[in-house]
Amino acid sequence: MTTATARSDRRISPVFLGIVAVMAVAGWAVWTDFSANTGLAVFLFVTAGWIVSLCLHEYAHARTALHGGDISIGAKGYLTLNPLKYTHALLSIVLPVLFVIMGGIGLPGGAVFIERNRIHGRWKHSLISAAGPLTNVLFAIVCTAPFWLDALDGVPMAFRFALAFLALLQVTAALLNFLPVPGLDGYGVIEPWLSYGVRRQVEPFAPFGLLAVFGVLWIPEVNVAFFDAIHGLLNVLGVSELENYCGYQLFRFWQEAPELCVSR
């Protein structure tokens, strides 16, 4: 099996590097309280960080598919980490960012287009689907590391809140994406193990899986239960619900943040 790709197909995109630069500068502004509007700096830091994680999510799918046998991945530009190269930039980038703004939910976006007929072996297909949300899990571990390592001495509160909210987005994205719902990666993990008849019956529902999940989350009882589970998991990682709350309030810079989130 060959996984050869042209060097230009693997070159990191200036678009991605620009997003990373925005994240770094905004993070510095939050840390140093350089900006006159801390909320705007938090918004830019979290949004850029969220887009970076989306790019890495899609890259993980693509890279795993490449090693699984789909050598067409490189020519599609997926290995450059350029969000504009993904199957549908609206689904992969724009809608997830809007979901964050609307409800503080890290809803997963659309996946890269993989030529599954080039890949043989059910385990390879499952791993390709799992690679994306596993990247969100890794991102969440990195974001929460200062909390569960008890290494927060000297960390400014605004940066701490921003990091907590970014971690929440990663955890929600991982959990939602692992749901066995058609159209999400969780279903992609189990799909190779289903019978042909079942896959044919489920296939028409795949385009609506993401919207269905979003709709169900708007049901108050489901929303409360879901976020209780999220906060319970984050508490285990040392991140309190208050830190997540303040991170989200600072993120929404167009609204005045509560006093307890700016005076601590």
Side-chain angles (χ1 to χ4, degrees), residues 129-146:
S129 294
L134 286 175
T135 303
N136 293 112
V137 171
L138 181 59
F139 210 110
I141 292 173
V142 172
C143 288
T144 57

Side-chain angles (χ1 to χ4, degrees), residues 55-219:
C55 292
L56 293 174
H57 176 114
E58 305 296 359
Y59 175 85
H61 283 308
R63 190 76 190 193
T64 311
L66 174 67
H67 290 286
D70 183 3
I71 59 175
S72 70
I73 288 295
K76 295 185 176 92
Y78 297 154
L79 301 179
T80 66
L81 289 163
N82 185 349
L84 303 179
K85 293 292 185 179
Y86 299 140
T87 303
H88 204 306
L90 176 64
L91 291 177
S92 292
I93 303 296
V94 178
L95 281 182
V97 171
L98 286 177
F99 289 146
V100 170
I101 294 174
M102 292 170 58
I105 299 174
L107 204 62
V112 296
F113 177 72
I114 296 169
E115 297 184 20
R116 294 278 183 170
N117 61 303
R118 294 175 177 263
I119 300 166
H120 304 287
R122 290 183 293 184
W123 281 107
K124 289 181 181 179
H125 285 282
S126 294
L127 183 58
I128 290 167
S129 294
L134 286 175
T135 303
N136 293 112
V137 171
L138 181 59
F139 210 110
I141 292 173
V142 172
C143 288
T144 57
F147 297 88
W148 51 264
L149 288 174
D150 197 21
L152 290 167
D153 288 345
V155 177
M157 277 298 174
F159 190 86
R160 178 174 177 168
F161 294 153
L163 207 57
F165 181 53
L166 185 56
L168 179 143
L169 297 181
Q170 301 305 319
V171 172
T172 57
L175 290 183
L176 289 173
N177 233 331
F178 270 128
L179 292 175
V181 175
L184 298 182
D185 291 326
Y187 177 75
V189 172
I190 66 172
E191 183 182 25
W193 307 89
L194 302 176
S195 68
Y196 176 76
V198 171
R199 294 200 304 268
R200 290 282 294 180
Q201 288 181 332
V202 171
E203 187 177 359
F205 299 99
F208 309 105
L210 182 64
L211 294 177
V213 169
F214 185 60
V216 170
L217 284 174
W218 278 103
I219 300 174

Side-chain angles (χ1 to χ4, degrees), residues 25-34 41 152-160:
V25 172
W28 171 80
V30 176
W31 185 284
T32 61
D33 198 24
F34 178 81
L152 290 167
D153 288 345
V155 177
M157 277 298 174
F159 190 86
R160 178 174 177 168

